[in-house]
Amino acid sequence: MYENARYLAAGARVGIRHFTLDDGPEFTARARESKSLHQPWLFPPTTPAAYAAYAGRLVEDPTKAGFLVCEREGGGIAGFININNIVGGGFACGALGYGAFAHAAGRGLMREGLGLVVEYAFGVLGLHRLEINVQPGNAASVALARRCGFRLEGFSPDFLFIDGAWRDHERWALTTEMRRRGRPGR
């Protein structure tokens, strides 16, 4: 456990920190416990080898930033939030992906964690825009995007290849201007 972990940012109940290879046993155990919650929406790694490859990409690839959402009391991993496809320059954008683990679902921990990641992305990473692409039937992810102030911008048929097929997605976004204007869900 990471009771004395140094978080990149912390709220009342959670802190966020980067992935490490040492998180593999806890992460994969939580992913296996959460299979019915995650599928058919996402497929986090459930084996040591798959976790090592996944975490390695998040650590080594400069177009990705991976964050573990950890409960401040005890330090256990509640979920994960990744910023993928980070582009700088005039675009200054990244695409968010996330998942709560079953033991933490429905407790508001991911909302707090996503708020911390958004602040980190707009501050430390210097991004201007964050996007979330969600399968329309994934009510929990749509609700999280909405509660955190993201706006629905559109619908893309056959957008991402997941679980053997091209899946439709809603496109949600948040910009630094929206945060400054105090969008609902902030």
Side-chain angles (χ1 to χ4, degrees):
M1 293 293 198
Y2 291 88
E3 292 178 335
N4 298 317
R6 301 185 80 197
Y7 296 114
L8 298 166
R13 298 184 301 150
V14 302
I16 58 168
R17 63 178 177 79
H18 290 299
F19 280 72
T20 70
L21 293 179
D22 291 339
D23 294 310
E26 181 182 2
F27 188 97
T28 56
R30 294 292 188 195
R32 287 189 302 272
E33 293 166 2
S34 305
K35 187 175 180 179
S36 65
L37 175 67
H38 292 156
Q39 293 180 4
W41 317 116
L42 70 151
F43 298 82
T46 57
T47 67
Y51 176 83
Y54 176 77
R57 286 189 301 271
L58 291 170
V59 170
E60 296 168 12
D61 187 339
T63 68
K64 299 180 185 307
F67 303 91
L68 294 173
V69 178
C70 301
E71 295 186 69
R72 290 190 64 193
E73 186 174 318
I77 301 170
F80 54 97
I81 302 169
N82 301 327
I83 308 174
N84 299 297
N85 307 324
I86 298 172
V87 177
F91 195 44
C93 182
L96 290 168
Y98 49 78
F101 290 125
H103 76 284
R107 296 174 42 207
L109 302 176
M110 289 301 290
R111 180 179 180 179
E112 187 177 333
L114 184 54
L116 294 170
V117 169
V118 165
E119 293 299 325
Y120 187 88
F122 288 161
V124 175
L125 298 180
L127 298 180
H128 168 260
R129 176 183 176 88
L130 291 169
E131 299 175 352
I132 299 172
N133 299 298
V134 181
Q135 292 177 64
N138 188 343
S141 285
V142 168
L144 180 58
R146 184 177 287 119
R147 281 193 308 269
C148 288
F150 285 73
R151 70 176 170 222
L152 179 61
E153 292 192 331
F155 178 82
S156 296
D158 303 326
F159 187 67
L160 287 173
F161 193 77
I162 299 173
D163 194 26
W166 289 98
R167 309 291 179 181
D168 299 345
H169 280 70
E170 292 179 353
R171 296 184 326 275
W172 294 78
L174 181 68
T175 66
T176 55
E177 289 82 7
M178 291 166 63
R179 291 290 279 189
R180 280 195 295 270
R181 288 191 299 260
R183 292 274 302 181
R186 187 170 167 201

